[in-house]
Amino acid sequence: MHSALFLIEFGAIILGLGLLGRVAGRLKFSPIPLYLLAGLAFGTGGLLPMGASEEFVAIGAEIGVILLLLMLGLEYTASDLVSNLKTQYPAGLVDFGLNAVPGAVAALLMGWGPVAAVVLAGVTWISSSGVIAKVMGDLGRVGNRETPVILSILVLEDLAMAVYLPIITALLAGVSLAAGSATLAIALGVAGAVLFIAVRFGRHISRFVSSDDPEKLLLVVLGLTLLVAGIAQQLQVSAAVGAFLVGIALSGEVAEGTHTLLSPLRDLFAAVFFVFFGLHTDPASIPPVLLPALALAVVTAGTKIATGYWAAKRAGVGVKGRWRAGGTLVARGEFSIVIAGLAVTAGIEPAMGPLATAYVLILVVIGPLTARYTEPVAAWVSSRRNPPGPAALAAVPSQPRSPEDVKDQAQDPAGRA
């Protein structure tokens, strides 16, 4: 009977996710808000709570995070990663300063204490790689000049998680400073060792994994990823970071084949992950934190736009590309939920889960809109503030353009956003 109930519940979850994904696709919208809402509807305090499939959904959610990071790692080579770290680290520091501080300040103002402040700083700091990658693809901006800047910031954020996650894990566990320092040292050592292996022996790893049989390739890559993720977690490193470094180690045809094979699995388990977070959030707990979540979303949307603008300007991107970079970085998603989930599990602050859910819902809705409209809105505001006179309008065709404008025009001759 229990088995039958499990199949019914889990089948209903998967079917519902598929239908929600179709709705989101027709609306040209990210499905993540709908997945979170589905979790809220059928979880604790929802319309129809589900209990039989909860344990399996929890395991599926963990696999979802691992696959999200593995697929992100497949987008980069080890040499690209090292190069980005050397050239773009100032942008990473600015990103941290502008976006982590508002979260920490908000937690302190709400009286949550220093540990919750560190956690909420991470929630507001990390952008959603999954949502942003999808938005750039939908808007046809993968080849734009600002795209490498965006990807560099995302990579730096993901690598920073190798340091950040062990810190908050130690803080949430209430361990001593010495034990926390040892945990961090182990985490950094393991992450550094895996990165070194990826850089030096990535080709050998790819050759070992490579197979012309899709079934064998899928089993070997998935098994290797879960194994490394489990070992990393056992050594106090995030399982997700371990999976990301496995993706970095794979390259060439192996990476392409793995991406094709694992994309459906990633989408399935990632959807389960967002549903799982919603299942553990009582909808009645969201209205009391909706106003703080909205205020925090507005502030950190502005700070992300400023981050992208500054980083793109530093890279020599034109004005239009700077605004596009800033608007694209606004969306938060999987990492914000992961970080808040750690705090909820540790029981550090009951309102953290509802606040993070509301915050992510707001920004995952706003994110695709800011990516599309930040640049044209900025151009419109600029024209309203400094309207050209008749003489200036007549002289525009004969005036030389700045190098930045020439870059923008060469990048997009039709002037599209």
Side-chain angles (χ1 to χ4, degrees), residues 181-324:
S181 301
T183 298
L184 178 59
I186 293 172
L188 291 177
V190 172
V194 175
L195 183 58
F196 174 79
I197 292 171
V199 173
R200 292 294 300 271
F201 305 106
R203 291 183 180 179
H204 301 289
I205 296 173
S206 296
R207 192 177 302 116
F208 167 76
V209 171
S210 180
S211 175
D212 294 331
D213 187 335
E215 178 184 350
K216 293 182 177 63
L217 178 62
L218 173 64
L219 291 174
V220 171
V221 172
L222 185 58
L224 178 64
T225 302
L226 294 176
L227 178 64
V228 172
I231 293 173
Q233 188 160 306
Q234 190 68 24
L235 295 173
Q236 307 301 317
V237 182
S238 164
V241 173
F244 175 75
L245 294 174
V246 170
I248 291 291
L250 301 179
S251 61
E253 294 182 1
V254 173
E256 294 176 6
T258 300
H259 193 282
T260 302
L261 290 171
L262 286 180
S263 289
L265 279 178
R266 174 204 58 189
D267 295 339
L268 168 63
F269 286 106
V272 170
F273 165 71
F274 289 111
V275 169
F276 174 74
F277 189 83
L279 287 173
H280 286 74
T281 302
D282 188 348
S285 64
I286 290 182
V289 297
L290 190 57
L291 190 59
L294 181 60
L296 197 57
V298 171
V299 171
T300 55
T303 54
K304 273 293 181 182
I305 292 173
T307 299
Y309 186 96
W310 183 88
K313 180 180 180 181
R314 180 175 177 272
V317 178
V319 175
K320 292 181 180 179
R322 297 174 197 172
W323 287 115
R324 287 194 293 265

Side-chain angles (χ1 to χ4, degrees), residues 34-47:
L34 300 183
Y35 296 158
L36 285 170
L37 290 174
L40 290 172
F42 296 101
T44 305
L47 300 175

Side-chain angles (χ1 to χ4, degrees), residues 13 62 78 112-113 123-124 127 179 195-196 208-209 214 225 254 264 351 356 362 403:
I13 290 173
E62 191 168 355
W112 286 0
V123 171
T124 59
S127 296
L195 183 58
F196 174 79
F208 167 76
V209 171
T225 302
V254 173
I362 293 168

